[in-house]
Amino acid sequence: MLEGLDELTAGDRHRGWEFVRTLTAAYGRPVVEGDGVDPALVQVGEDRIGFALPAALREAYLLFGRRWDLTAAQDSLISPQSLDVDPAGVLVFRVEAQGCASWGVPARSIGQDDPPVVVNVGDGWVPYSDRLSVALVEMVMSEAMFSADERDVDNRELDDTTNALVSAAFERLPLPVFPFWAGMDGPGVRWFAGPDVLLRNDGETWLWVYGRTPEAVQAVRDRLSGEWLMVADDDEDEEFDD
């Protein structure tokens, strides 16, 4: 399932789109024909801003741009016809749910097929990712997790001991460390994988787990004992069913 990430981070953005197809299929929500934005709307967006979109952004819109669960469950990929350029010349393509952060492509890189990405949390634009396609794949992973059925996801606070255990017990995915917008001065966001699960470590302070099944999520809970936030809800449901 995780094949393609090495090639993606090495510079082959097309392997990123293959990874998205494989990941969504494995988790029961495959990307299918019709999930992309109408090319005419992409053209509307390009006409509005006055230049062609970077190839990576255009390809993402055309592949899965209509999939709310992969683009806007928490933070939002801006629709192509609503794209805009901010006063600093940055093409803003994604915004955080509460407006606390924005992601964009700097003006000097707009003409590249797979340009770098910058992020702004209110103090100006700073580097986020060397390549747009990598940032978009990570977006899909995060949004798929946030839109998952509540039985297939859980989260908890991280202490030093559990944080070390995550690194030891699970495979670190070959993705860069992304700046954590809620804590830009601290450790960034790292992704891990285990049997039928993805884990997102937010700044070594919070952990998310997204499983293909509830059993896969429970296996992570068992491995990382502590106060998981969704456990109580599950227990109440089981009691009600009895």
Side-chain angles (χ1 to χ4, degrees), residues 47-110:
D47 292 343
R48 182 172 184 271
I49 58 179
F51 52 82
L53 296 180
L57 185 56
R58 169 181 275 271
E59 290 164 0
Y61 279 131
L62 296 178
L63 179 61
F64 52 77
R66 294 180 63 245
R67 285 286 297 271
W68 171 89
D69 60 324
L70 305 181
T71 63
Q74 173 66 25
D75 308 325
S76 297
L77 179 69
I78 297 173
S79 61
Q81 63 270 32
S82 299
L83 289 169
D84 209 347
V85 178
D86 89 329
V90 175
L91 173 64
V92 180
F93 66 86
R94 189 183 184 209
V95 293
E96 191 271 335
Q98 304 299 321
C100 297
S102 301
W103 291 262
V105 177
R108 64 182 180 276
S109 305
I110 287 294

Side-chain angles (χ1 to χ4, degrees), residues 156-195:
R156 57 163 291 179
E157 190 173 4
L158 278 175
D159 53 43
D160 291 343
T161 299
T162 308
N163 186 59
L165 185 55
V166 170
S167 297
F170 298 93
E171 175 189 359
R172 170 75 190 281
L173 295 186
L175 290 168
V177 178
F178 297 93
F180 183 36
W181 71 264
M184 293 292 287
D185 295 331
V189 173
R190 294 175 294 155
W191 284 87
F192 296 82

Side-chain angles (χ1 to χ4, degrees), residues 195-211:
D196 291 332
V197 291
L198 291 174
L199 299 96
R200 196 182 86 171
N201 182 327
D202 286 352
E204 299 183 2
T205 61
W206 205 264
L207 182 70
W208 293 85
V209 56
Y210 173 33

Side-chain angles (χ1 to χ4, degrees), residues 99-152:
C100 297
S102 301
W103 291 262
V105 177
R108 64 182 180 276
S109 305
I110 287 294
Q112 299 178 23
D113 286 343
D114 201 3
V117 172
V118 290
V119 64
N120 190 341
V121 297
D123 299 320
W125 294 98
V126 297
Y128 179 77
S129 171
D130 288 342
R131 294 179 37 250
L132 175 57
S133 60
V134 175
L136 290 168
V137 167
E138 199 272 344
M139 174 195 72
V140 168
M141 295 167 67
S142 293
E143 298 305 316
M145 178 180 68
F146 286 126
S147 63
D149 184 280
E150 64 178 15
R151 293 181 180 272
D152 294 330

